[in-house]
Amino acid sequence: MTAIVTRNPLADGADWPAGPSELADFHHRMPAYAPTMLFDAPGLAERFGVGRVVVKAETKRMGLPSFKILGASWATYQAICEHIGREPEPWTNINELAANLAFLKPFKLATATDGNHGRAVSFMARLLGFECHIFVPSGMVHARINAMEREGSTVTVVDGDYDDAVARAGEEASDTCLIVSDTSWPGYETIPAQVVEGYATIFCEVDDALDASGMARPDLVVIPMGVGAFMAAAVTHYRSGAERPIIVGVEPIDANCVQASALAGEMTHVGGPHRSIMVGLNCGLPSMTAWPRLRSGIDWLVATDDDSARQGMRDLADIAVAAGETGAACLAGFDALMSDAVAKAELPDLSDSTILLVVTEGATDPGAFEEIVGRRPESVGRVLTAVS
Ligand SMILES: Cc1ncc(COP(=O)(O)O)c(C=O)c1O
Protein backbone atom coordinates (compact mmCIF):
# COMPACT_ATOMS: atom_id res chain seq x y z
CA MET A 1 0.00 0.00 0.00
CA THR A 2 1.32 3.45 -0.92
CA ALA A 3 -0.22 6.33 0.99
CA ILE A 4 0.47 9.90 2.02
CA VAL A 5 -0.96 10.73 5.44
CA THR A 6 -0.76 14.30 6.70
CA ARG A 7 -2.37 16.49 9.28
CA ASN A 8 -4.26 19.46 7.86
CA PRO A 9 -2.09 22.42 8.86
CA LEU A 10 -4.98 24.84 8.20
CA ALA A 11 -7.52 23.16 10.52
CA ASP A 12 -8.97 25.67 12.97
CA GLY A 13 -12.02 23.79 14.31
CA ALA A 14 -14.25 26.81 13.55
CA ASP A 15 -18.05 26.59 13.84
CA TRP A 16 -20.12 26.47 10.66
CA PRO A 17 -23.84 27.29 10.50
CA ALA A 18 -26.14 24.26 10.27
CA GLY A 19 -27.95 23.56 6.98
CA PRO A 20 -31.58 24.34 6.08
CA SER A 21 -34.30 22.83 8.29
CA GLU A 22 -36.66 22.11 5.32
CA LEU A 23 -34.25 19.55 3.84
CA ALA A 24 -35.61 16.46 5.62
CA ASP A 25 -39.17 17.25 4.56
CA PHE A 26 -38.02 17.73 0.97
CA HIS A 27 -36.21 14.39 0.80
CA HIS A 28 -39.14 12.60 2.42
CA ARG A 29 -41.25 13.69 -0.58
CA MET A 30 -38.78 12.16 -3.05
CA PRO A 31 -39.71 8.77 -4.55
CA ALA A 32 -38.49 5.71 -2.66
CA TYR A 33 -36.87 7.82 0.04
CA ALA A 34 -35.77 5.79 3.05
CA PRO A 35 -32.75 6.11 5.32
CA THR A 36 -29.91 3.89 4.11
CA MET A 37 -28.49 1.20 6.40
CA LEU A 38 -25.98 1.95 9.10
CA PHE A 39 -24.44 -1.17 10.42
CA ASP A 40 -21.99 -2.43 12.88
CA ALA A 41 -18.75 -4.00 11.65
CA PRO A 42 -17.28 -5.72 14.72
CA GLY A 43 -14.64 -7.51 12.63
CA LEU A 44 -13.28 -4.18 11.40
CA ALA A 45 -13.34 -2.76 14.94
CA GLU A 46 -11.25 -5.70 16.13
CA ARG A 47 -8.84 -5.45 13.19
CA PHE A 48 -8.13 -1.77 13.85
CA GLY A 49 -8.26 -1.98 17.65
CA VAL A 50 -11.05 0.59 17.97
CA GLY A 51 -14.24 0.51 20.03
CA ARG A 52 -16.70 0.27 17.18
CA VAL A 53 -16.81 0.73 13.41
CA VAL A 54 -20.14 1.72 11.87
CA VAL A 55 -20.58 1.70 8.12
CA LYS A 56 -23.12 3.96 6.42
CA ALA A 57 -23.84 2.17 3.16
CA GLU A 58 -24.93 4.49 0.35
CA THR A 59 -24.94 1.59 -2.07
CA LYS A 60 -28.62 2.06 -2.85
CA ARG A 61 -30.20 5.45 -2.36
CA MET A 62 -33.65 6.09 -3.90
CA GLY A 63 -32.94 3.30 -6.37
CA LEU A 64 -29.55 4.72 -7.43
CA PRO A 65 -26.14 3.29 -6.51
CA SER A 66 -24.73 6.36 -4.71
CA PHE A 67 -25.56 9.18 -2.30
CA LYS A 68 -25.42 11.84 -5.00
CA ILE A 69 -29.17 12.07 -5.56
CA LEU A 70 -29.50 13.75 -2.15
CA GLY A 71 -27.55 16.78 -3.35
CA ALA A 72 -28.73 16.72 -6.96
CA SER A 73 -32.42 16.61 -6.02
CA TRP A 74 -32.24 19.46 -3.49
CA ALA A 75 -30.06 21.66 -5.71
CA THR A 76 -32.26 21.06 -8.76
CA TYR A 77 -35.33 22.03 -6.76
CA GLN A 78 -33.68 25.17 -5.37
CA ALA A 79 -32.37 26.15 -8.81
CA ILE A 80 -35.85 25.81 -10.31
CA CYS A 81 -37.38 27.92 -7.52
CA GLU A 82 -34.75 30.59 -8.21
CA HIS A 83 -35.39 30.33 -11.97
CA ILE A 84 -39.16 30.84 -11.66
CA GLY A 85 -38.78 33.33 -8.83
CA ARG A 86 -41.02 31.45 -6.38
CA GLU A 87 -41.84 28.08 -4.83
CA PRO A 88 -43.92 25.86 -7.15
CA GLU A 89 -47.61 25.27 -6.26
CA PRO A 90 -47.90 22.96 -3.22
CA TRP A 91 -46.91 19.35 -3.92
CA THR A 92 -46.68 16.16 -1.91
CA ASN A 93 -44.89 13.88 -4.34
CA ILE A 94 -42.67 14.10 -7.41
CA ASN A 95 -45.52 13.57 -9.88
CA GLU A 96 -47.34 16.58 -8.50
CA LEU A 97 -44.15 18.61 -8.63
CA ALA A 98 -43.58 17.56 -12.26
CA ALA A 99 -47.15 18.59 -13.13
CA ASN A 100 -46.69 21.95 -11.40
CA LEU A 101 -43.51 22.59 -13.39
CA ALA A 102 -44.76 21.37 -16.77
CA PHE A 103 -45.25 24.97 -17.91
CA LEU A 104 -41.46 25.32 -18.14
CA LYS A 105 -41.09 22.76 -20.94
CA PRO A 106 -39.14 22.42 -23.15
CA PHE A 107 -36.60 22.65 -20.37
CA LYS A 108 -33.23 21.06 -19.79
CA LEU A 109 -30.81 20.21 -16.97
CA ALA A 110 -27.09 19.86 -17.68
CA THR A 111 -23.94 19.04 -15.77
CA ALA A 112 -20.48 17.53 -15.98
CA THR A 113 -19.80 14.33 -14.09
CA ASP A 114 -17.40 11.53 -13.47
CA GLY A 115 -20.40 9.27 -13.01
CA ASN A 116 -22.65 9.44 -10.03
CA HIS A 117 -23.66 13.10 -9.93
CA GLY A 118 -24.59 12.97 -13.62
CA ARG A 119 -26.67 9.90 -13.07
CA ALA A 120 -28.48 11.63 -10.22
CA VAL A 121 -29.16 14.76 -12.31
CA SER A 122 -30.37 12.51 -15.16
CA PHE A 123 -32.73 10.79 -12.74
CA MET A 124 -34.13 14.12 -11.50
CA ALA A 125 -34.61 15.36 -15.08
CA ARG A 126 -36.51 12.20 -16.00
CA LEU A 127 -38.75 12.46 -12.93
CA LEU A 128 -39.55 16.07 -13.77
CA GLY A 129 -40.07 15.35 -17.48
CA PHE A 130 -37.15 17.58 -18.54
CA GLU A 131 -34.39 16.91 -21.04
CA CYS A 132 -30.88 16.34 -19.76
CA HIS A 133 -27.40 16.79 -21.22
CA ILE A 134 -24.42 15.26 -19.40
CA PHE A 135 -20.74 15.94 -20.18
CA VAL A 136 -18.20 13.29 -19.20
CA PRO A 137 -14.41 13.01 -19.39
CA SER A 138 -12.87 10.76 -22.02
CA GLY A 139 -12.30 7.18 -20.94
CA MET A 140 -15.44 6.80 -18.83
CA VAL A 141 -16.55 3.16 -18.78
CA HIS A 142 -19.64 2.28 -20.83
CA ALA A 143 -21.58 0.97 -17.82
CA ARG A 144 -21.64 4.49 -16.34
CA ILE A 145 -22.50 6.21 -19.63
CA ASN A 146 -25.24 3.67 -20.36
CA ALA A 147 -26.79 4.22 -16.93
CA MET A 148 -27.28 7.93 -17.76
CA GLU A 149 -28.53 7.21 -21.28
CA ARG A 150 -31.07 4.78 -19.82
CA GLU A 151 -32.46 7.71 -17.80
CA GLY A 152 -33.02 9.45 -21.17
CA SER A 153 -30.02 11.80 -21.02
CA THR A 154 -27.82 12.83 -23.93
CA VAL A 155 -24.22 12.07 -22.94
CA THR A 156 -21.33 13.92 -24.60
CA VAL A 157 -17.81 12.60 -24.09
CA VAL A 158 -15.46 15.59 -23.84
CA ASP A 159 -11.93 15.23 -25.17
CA GLY A 160 -10.21 15.80 -21.82
CA ASP A 161 -10.52 15.18 -18.10
CA TYR A 162 -13.21 15.98 -15.53
CA ASP A 163 -12.16 19.63 -15.29
CA ASP A 164 -12.52 19.97 -19.10
CA ALA A 165 -15.99 18.40 -18.89
CA VAL A 166 -16.94 20.95 -16.20
CA ALA A 167 -15.83 23.82 -18.45
CA ARG A 168 -17.80 22.41 -21.40
CA ALA A 169 -20.99 21.90 -19.35
CA GLY A 170 -20.85 25.51 -18.15
CA GLU A 171 -21.27 26.69 -21.77
CA GLU A 172 -24.76 25.11 -21.92
CA ALA A 173 -26.39 27.59 -19.50
CA SER A 174 -29.36 29.42 -21.05
CA ASP A 175 -32.93 30.57 -20.25
CA THR A 176 -34.12 27.02 -20.87
CA CYS A 177 -31.15 25.08 -19.50
CA LEU A 178 -30.10 24.99 -15.86
CA ILE A 179 -26.60 23.78 -14.96
CA VAL A 180 -26.79 21.65 -11.82
CA SER A 181 -23.10 21.21 -11.04
CA ASP A 182 -21.63 19.87 -7.83
CA THR A 183 -18.46 21.87 -8.33
CA SER A 184 -18.18 25.63 -8.52
CA TRP A 185 -16.26 28.29 -10.41
CA PRO A 186 -16.17 32.08 -10.15
CA GLY A 187 -19.74 33.35 -10.61
CA TYR A 188 -21.27 29.89 -10.21
CA GLU A 189 -21.45 29.19 -6.52
CA THR A 190 -25.07 29.02 -5.36
CA ILE A 191 -26.08 25.67 -6.86
CA PRO A 192 -22.92 23.83 -5.72
CA ALA A 193 -23.59 25.17 -2.21
CA GLN A 194 -27.12 23.72 -2.42
CA VAL A 195 -25.69 20.36 -3.53
CA VAL A 196 -23.61 20.43 -0.34
CA GLU A 197 -26.72 21.28 1.72
CA GLY A 198 -28.55 18.30 0.27
CA TYR A 199 -25.93 15.79 1.44
CA ALA A 200 -26.65 16.66 5.10
CA THR A 201 -29.46 14.11 5.17
CA ILE A 202 -26.85 11.33 5.38
CA PHE A 203 -25.35 12.64 8.60
CA CYS A 204 -28.77 13.35 10.14
CA GLU A 205 -29.72 9.74 9.40
CA VAL A 206 -26.52 8.50 11.06
CA ASP A 207 -27.33 10.53 14.20
CA ASP A 208 -30.92 9.24 14.23
CA ALA A 209 -29.83 5.59 13.87
CA LEU A 210 -27.18 5.85 16.59
CA ASP A 211 -29.52 7.73 18.94
CA ALA A 212 -32.32 5.20 18.35
CA SER A 213 -30.07 2.34 19.35
CA GLY A 214 -28.56 4.21 22.31
CA MET A 215 -25.11 4.24 20.74
CA ALA A 216 -22.55 7.03 20.95
CA ARG A 217 -22.14 9.51 18.12
CA PRO A 218 -18.91 9.03 16.09
CA ASP A 219 -15.52 10.13 17.44
CA LEU A 220 -13.84 9.92 14.04
CA VAL A 221 -15.44 10.06 10.60
CA VAL A 222 -13.86 9.07 7.29
CA ILE A 223 -15.10 10.75 4.11
CA PRO A 224 -13.97 10.29 0.49
CA MET A 225 -13.18 13.48 -1.43
CA GLY A 226 -13.33 14.41 -5.10
CA VAL A 227 -14.00 18.14 -5.37
CA GLY A 228 -14.86 18.08 -1.66
CA ALA A 229 -18.58 18.90 -1.80
CA PHE A 230 -19.49 15.84 0.25
CA MET A 231 -16.75 16.62 2.75
CA ALA A 232 -18.07 20.19 3.01
CA ALA A 233 -21.40 18.69 4.12
CA ALA A 234 -19.59 16.57 6.72
CA VAL A 235 -17.76 19.63 8.05
CA THR A 236 -21.01 21.61 8.20
CA HIS A 237 -22.68 18.84 10.18
CA TYR A 238 -19.82 17.98 12.51
CA ARG A 239 -18.72 21.57 13.15
CA SER A 240 -22.17 22.99 13.87
CA GLY A 241 -23.24 20.83 16.81
CA ALA A 242 -21.99 19.72 20.19
CA GLU A 243 -20.04 16.68 18.96
CA ARG A 244 -16.73 17.38 17.30
CA PRO A 245 -15.40 14.15 15.81
CA ILE A 246 -11.99 13.96 14.16
CA ILE A 247 -12.60 14.40 10.42
CA VAL A 248 -10.50 12.42 7.96
CA GLY A 249 -10.63 13.00 4.18
CA VAL A 250 -9.48 10.41 1.64
CA GLU A 251 -8.34 10.99 -1.96
CA PRO A 252 -6.52 9.04 -4.67
CA ILE A 253 -2.79 9.55 -4.53
CA ASP A 254 -2.54 11.20 -7.97
CA ALA A 255 -5.65 13.37 -7.53
CA ASN A 256 -5.01 14.57 -3.97
CA CYS A 257 -6.08 18.14 -4.67
CA VAL A 258 -7.47 18.83 -1.19
CA GLN A 259 -4.32 17.51 0.49
CA ALA A 260 -2.08 19.46 -1.91
CA SER A 261 -4.15 22.60 -1.34
CA ALA A 262 -4.02 22.24 2.44
CA LEU A 263 -0.27 21.75 2.39
CA ALA A 264 0.20 24.71 0.02
CA GLY A 265 -2.08 26.93 2.09
CA GLU A 266 -4.31 27.75 -0.89
CA MET A 267 -6.41 26.04 -3.55
CA THR A 268 -3.98 24.17 -5.76
CA HIS A 269 -4.49 22.32 -9.01
CA VAL A 270 -3.09 18.80 -9.23
CA GLY A 271 -2.35 18.02 -12.86
CA GLY A 272 -3.58 14.87 -14.57
CA PRO A 273 -3.94 12.40 -15.95
CA HIS A 274 -6.12 11.28 -13.05
CA ARG A 275 -6.50 7.59 -13.68
CA SER A 276 -7.48 6.15 -10.31
CA ILE A 277 -10.10 3.41 -10.30
CA MET A 278 -11.77 5.55 -7.59
CA VAL A 279 -13.24 7.50 -10.48
CA GLY A 280 -15.59 9.64 -8.40
CA LEU A 281 -12.50 11.09 -6.71
CA ASN A 282 -10.49 11.87 -9.87
CA CYS A 283 -10.58 15.65 -9.51
CA GLY A 284 -7.70 18.07 -9.92
CA LEU A 285 -9.12 21.06 -8.06
CA PRO A 286 -11.29 21.42 -4.96
CA SER A 287 -14.66 23.12 -5.34
CA MET A 288 -14.36 26.84 -4.57
CA THR A 289 -17.57 26.67 -2.57
CA ALA A 290 -16.33 23.76 -0.52
CA TRP A 291 -12.80 25.03 0.09
CA PRO A 292 -13.41 27.31 3.14
CA ARG A 293 -15.00 24.36 4.99
CA LEU A 294 -12.36 21.91 3.81
CA ARG A 295 -9.45 24.03 4.98
CA SER A 296 -11.06 24.73 8.31
CA GLY A 297 -12.76 21.48 9.24
CA ILE A 298 -10.67 18.52 8.07
CA ASP A 299 -8.18 17.18 10.63
CA TRP A 300 -6.33 14.48 8.67
CA LEU A 301 -5.77 14.03 4.94
CA VAL A 302 -5.04 10.64 3.43
CA ALA A 303 -4.07 9.98 -0.19
CA THR A 304 -4.18 6.32 -1.05
CA ASP A 305 -3.67 4.01 -4.02
CA ASP A 306 -5.82 1.74 -6.16
CA ASP A 307 -4.57 -1.47 -4.57
CA SER A 308 -5.91 -0.34 -1.22
CA ALA A 309 -9.25 0.52 -2.84
CA ARG A 310 -9.38 -2.99 -4.31
CA GLN A 311 -8.58 -4.47 -0.91
CA GLY A 312 -11.24 -2.24 0.63
CA MET A 313 -13.82 -3.61 -1.82
CA ARG A 314 -12.91 -7.19 -0.85
CA ASP A 315 -12.99 -6.38 2.87
CA LEU A 316 -16.37 -4.65 2.55
CA ALA A 317 -17.78 -7.56 0.53
CA ASP A 318 -16.73 -9.80 3.43
CA ILE A 319 -19.00 -7.78 5.72
CA ALA A 320 -21.85 -7.85 3.19
CA VAL A 321 -21.37 -4.44 1.55
CA ALA A 322 -21.05 -4.47 -2.25
CA ALA A 323 -19.06 -1.24 -2.62
CA GLY A 324 -17.69 0.22 -5.84
CA GLU A 325 -14.09 1.39 -6.12
CA THR A 326 -14.92 4.92 -4.95
CA GLY A 327 -17.17 3.56 -2.22
CA ALA A 328 -14.28 1.55 -0.77
CA ALA A 329 -12.01 4.61 -0.49
CA CYS A 330 -13.07 5.31 3.10
CA LEU A 331 -11.93 1.89 4.31
CA ALA A 332 -8.71 2.12 2.29
CA GLY A 333 -8.08 5.56 3.81
CA PHE A 334 -8.83 4.48 7.36
CA ASP A 335 -6.49 1.53 6.94
CA ALA A 336 -3.75 3.90 5.71
CA LEU A 337 -4.36 6.27 8.64
CA MET A 338 -4.13 3.49 11.20
CA SER A 339 -0.99 2.09 9.53
CA ASP A 340 0.81 5.44 9.62
CA ALA A 341 3.28 5.74 12.49
CA VAL A 342 2.98 9.52 12.84
CA ALA A 343 -0.81 9.47 12.77
CA LYS A 344 -0.88 6.62 15.26
CA ALA A 345 1.31 8.60 17.63
CA GLU A 346 -0.66 11.83 17.26
CA LEU A 347 -4.22 10.48 17.25
CA PRO A 348 -5.91 10.02 20.62
CA ASP A 349 -6.46 6.50 21.96
CA LEU A 350 -9.30 5.12 19.81
CA SER A 351 -9.79 1.86 21.67
CA ASP A 352 -13.20 2.99 22.98
CA SER A 353 -14.07 5.21 20.04
CA THR A 354 -16.76 4.92 17.39
CA ILE A 355 -15.50 5.26 13.82
CA LEU A 356 -17.91 6.17 11.01
CA LEU A 357 -17.01 5.02 7.49
CA VAL A 358 -19.22 6.36 4.72
CA VAL A 359 -19.35 3.97 1.77
CA THR A 360 -20.61 6.39 -0.85
CA GLU A 361 -21.18 4.06 -3.78
CA GLY A 362 -22.36 0.58 -4.73
CA ALA A 363 -20.95 -1.55 -7.54
CA THR A 364 -21.46 0.93 -10.40
CA ASP A 365 -19.25 -1.17 -12.69
CA PRO A 366 -20.37 -4.77 -12.01
CA GLY A 367 -17.77 -6.25 -14.39
CA ALA A 368 -14.90 -4.55 -12.56
CA PHE A 369 -16.42 -5.55 -9.23
CA GLU A 370 -16.45 -9.21 -10.24
CA GLU A 371 -12.85 -9.02 -11.42
CA ILE A 372 -11.65 -7.40 -8.19
CA VAL A 373 -13.78 -9.18 -5.60
CA GLY A 374 -14.15 -12.55 -7.32
CA ARG A 375 -17.93 -12.67 -7.21
CA ARG A 376 -20.86 -10.76 -8.62
CA PRO A 377 -22.18 -7.79 -6.63
CA GLU A 378 -25.64 -9.34 -6.24
CA SER A 379 -24.10 -12.39 -4.57
CA VAL A 380 -22.70 -10.26 -1.75
CA GLY A 381 -24.68 -11.17 1.35
CA ARG A 382 -27.07 -9.17 3.39
CA VAL A 383 -26.34 -6.99 6.38
CA LEU A 384 -25.20 -9.11 9.31
CA THR A 385 -25.70 -6.85 12.29
CA ALA A 386 -28.06 -3.96 11.75
CA VAL A 387 -27.71 -0.98 14.07
CA SER A 388 -31.25 0.09 13.37
C1 LIG B 1 -19.36 7.67 -5.01
C2 LIG B 1 -18.71 8.98 -4.74
N1 LIG B 1 -18.16 9.18 -3.56
C3 LIG B 1 -17.56 10.34 -3.26
C4 LIG B 1 -17.49 11.35 -4.19
C5 LIG B 1 -16.78 12.62 -3.84
O1 LIG B 1 -17.66 13.68 -3.72
P1 LIG B 1 -17.12 15.16 -3.92
O2 LIG B 1 -16.73 15.30 -5.35
O3 LIG B 1 -18.24 16.01 -3.49
O4 LIG B 1 -15.93 15.28 -3.04
C6 LIG B 1 -18.06 11.18 -5.45
C7 LIG B 1 -18.03 12.24 -6.47
O5 LIG B 1 -18.40 12.06 -7.61
C8 LIG B 1 -18.69 9.96 -5.74
O6 LIG B 1 -19.24 9.71 -6.93
Side-chain angles (χ1 to χ4, degrees):
M1 167 171 54
T2 312
I4 306 171
V5 178
T6 54
R7 253 185 191 284
N8 173 13
L10 309 176
D12 59 15
D15 282 344
W16 289 92
S21 53
E22 320 86 275
L23 184 67
D25 172 58
F26 172 80
H27 280 145
H28 278 83
R29 285 183 283 166
M30 286 288 105
Y33 168 80
T36 53
M37 289 297 289
L38 177 74
F39 55 96
D40 217 357
L44 290 180
E46 196 184 327
R47 169 174 151 197
F48 292 114
V50 299
R52 189 183 283 278
V53 173
V54 291
V55 177
K56 179 71 169 166
E58 292 293 314
T59 50
K60 201 160 218 179
R61 172 64 85 172
M62 296 184 211
L64 296 182
S66 93
F67 72 104
K68 290 256 157 172
I69 186 63
L70 292 172
S73 57
W74 174 249
T76 298
Y77 182 67
Q78 295 300 319
I80 289 170
C81 292
E82 171 71 25
H83 183 77
I84 62 178
R86 60 175 170 84
E87 290 268 332
E89 297 303 314
W91 57 284
T92 56
N93 61 50
I94 195 78
N95 292 336
E96 286 177 11
L97 178 61
N100 292 349
L101 295 175
F103 71 92
L104 282 170
K105 291 196 243 180
F107 200 71
K108 196 158 64 169
L109 306 181
T111 190
T113 189
D114 37 28
N116 291 312
H117 176 70
R119 184 157 177 193
V121 173
S122 300
F123 181 74
M124 267 317 273
R126 180 173 62 74
L127 293 176
L128 294 172
F130 297 157
E131 293 161 41
C132 192
H133 198 157
I134 305 290
F135 296 87
V136 304
S138 60
M140 178 175 284
V141 295
H142 286 300
R144 294 196 176 91
I145 291 178
N146 292 345
M148 292 183 275
E149 287 177 340
R150 276 201 305 276
E151 299 287 355
S153 289
T154 302
V155 180
T156 298
V157 180
V158 172
D159 182 18
D161 63 11
Y162 172 74
D163 302 321
D164 297 314
V166 169
R168 175 64 191 84
E171 293 166 13
E172 285 298 294
S174 74
D175 283 350
T176 56
C177 179
L178 282 179
I179 310 298
V180 184
S181 174
D182 57 348
T183 195
S184 54
W185 53 86
Y188 181 85
E189 283 139 56
T190 307
I191 293 173
Q194 289 156 344
V195 170
V196 170
E197 286 175 359
Y199 295 153
T201 291
I202 293 181
F203 303 106
C204 296
E205 288 176 3
V206 170
D207 288 349
D208 290 347
L210 291 172
D211 293 353
S213 56
M215 283 165 52
R217 301 266 179 102
D219 301 292
L220 184 149
V221 301
V222 188
I223 304 288
M225 301 189 295
V227 299
F230 183 45
M231 175 57 99
V235 169
T236 303
H237 187 83
Y238 290 116
R239 297 292 181 258
S240 60
E243 290 92 15
R244 299 279 163 142
I246 298 165
I247 299 182
V248 181
V250 184
E251 297 172 285
I253 209 151
D254 66 354
N256 60 340
C257 61
V258 181
Q259 187 175 50
S261 300
L263 296 179
E266 60 183 356
M267 272 177 63
T268 300
H269 186 258
V270 171
H274 305 126
R275 299 236 183 274
S276 170
I277 60 168
M278 297 173 269
V279 290
L281 313 184
N282 274 334
C283 305
L285 190 66
S287 163
M288 255 180 64
T289 311
W291 175 239
R293 283 172 170 75
L294 306 180
R295 59 174 290 150
S296 154
I298 301 170
D299 296 298
W300 286 88
L301 295 146
V302 178
T304 191
D305 65 5
D306 286 354
D307 278 344
S308 359
R310 290 188 190 94
Q311 189 56 47
M313 288 169 75
R314 290 189 282 268
D315 293 343
L316 286 166
D318 285 345
I319 60 160
V321 179
E325 295 84 336
T326 306
C330 60
L331 178 52
F334 185 56
D335 191 9
L337 182 78
M338 297 303 278
S339 310
D340 185 81
V342 174
K344 264 236 130 120
E346 292 189 15
L347 282 167
D349 176 14
L350 297 174
S351 56
D352 280 329
S353 299
T354 297
I355 312 300
L356 169 67
L357 304 182
V358 186
V359 171
T360 50
E361 171 197 63
T364 49
D365 183 353
F369 182 94
E370 193 172 354
E371 227 167 79
I372 293 168
V373 177
R375 53 187 153 141
R376 295 191 57 73
E378 59 274 17
S379 78
V380 171
R382 292 197 161 270
V383 172
L384 299 176
T385 317
V387 167
S388 64

